[in-house]
Amino acid sequence: MRRVAGIDLGKATVELAVFTVDDQGVARPETRAALAHEGEPTAAFELLYREHHLERCAAISATGVYADELRAPVRALPERACVEAALAHADGLPAALNVVQIGARGYSVLSRDDQGRVRFLEND
């Protein structure tokens, strides 16, 4: 079993999801947390890192407006790519769909048509 974590360092909150991944690659949720950072995203991340023992994770990835402020062992990833990858691995979803994300820094919409073509729009 391996632990992996995903972090979203948004304009107002830091959100965390930790999963355990078995030898067959099946991920199971372990914990989820959110913390309003009040202008101190890295301090909020450090608190969550300690509280949830992220040093025990095999991989940690981050998205969000402040993700690039983190260093190894965290790897910053583009939010759009993360959403697309999550949809590609989610079972039971229709071929055509829209994912709307609303946050403190604006909104984004990822649209996938029934042929699998993806469009991504965002606005601050």
Side-chain angles (χ1 to χ4, degrees), residues 29-115:
E30 180 182 301
T31 189
R32 183 179 183 278
L35 186 60
H37 61 65
E38 300 178 14
E40 298 289 335
T42 53
F45 168 76
E46 289 170 4
L47 178 67
L48 291 171
Y49 189 96
R50 287 190 306 276
E51 283 184 1
H52 297 279
H53 303 285
L54 299 187
E55 73 279 359
R56 297 181 193 157
C57 288
I60 305 170
S61 296
T63 65
V65 67
Y66 298 109
D68 288 333
E69 293 183 15
L70 302 178
R71 300 290 175 250
V74 180
R75 181 172 183 182
L77 299 172
E79 195 164 330
R80 175 187 175 167
C82 293
V83 173
E84 284 188 57
L87 290 175
H89 292 91
D91 294 329
L93 294 177
L97 54 76
N98 296 306
V99 176
V100 179
Q101 295 177 285
I102 301 172
R105 76 171 185 173
Y107 69 88
S108 67
V109 178
L110 185 142
S111 274
R112 183 176 68 190
D113 67 17
D114 55 359
Q115 273 78 47

